[in-house]
Amino acid sequence: MTMTHAVHEAPSGAELADLDLLAAARRRVQRLVGLLETLPFTEHTARIAREYLDEVGPVREAFERFTQLDSAEQQRQVCLWQGATS
């Protein structure tokens, strides 16, 4: 009986960059939601909203790449990313 095991490569800088981008987008949207709950809207709120919208394309692409991975690979990358950011 032969035993085999899967060899996983460490995520590339691009993969970790995707997770950095997704985490930053999450922080920005949480901040934006808080600002949008306060009326009247200020120029600061409008600037934050514009900054968030300017990044929609790259964030969407990073999200698509991440969701294409199977759940085990997603979890592995998140664990490595968390280790790299702590």
Side-chain angles (χ1 to χ4, degrees), residues 6-79:
V7 176
H8 294 284
E9 294 179 19
S12 70
E15 292 165 334
L16 292 179
D18 279 352
L19 292 172
D20 285 337
L21 184 62
L22 292 171
R26 182 179 65 186
R27 287 189 301 274
R28 273 190 294 286
V29 79
Q30 289 169 337
R31 182 177 178 200
L32 180 57
V33 166
L35 290 171
L36 291 173
E37 289 177 343
T38 306
L39 291 173
F41 297 146
T42 65
E43 181 54 38
H44 176 70
T45 301
R47 183 176 53 79
I48 298 299
R50 282 191 291 275
E51 288 173 4
Y52 179 75
L53 293 173
D54 287 344
E55 295 180 348
V56 168
V59 170
R60 182 181 301 137
E61 292 166 6
F63 183 75
E64 288 298 322
R65 283 189 295 272
F66 188 74
T67 59
Q68 298 284 325
L69 303 172
D70 64 47
S71 61
E73 180 61 14
Q74 288 177 355
Q75 185 63 37
R76 187 183 75 78
Q77 286 189 18
V78 167
C79 288

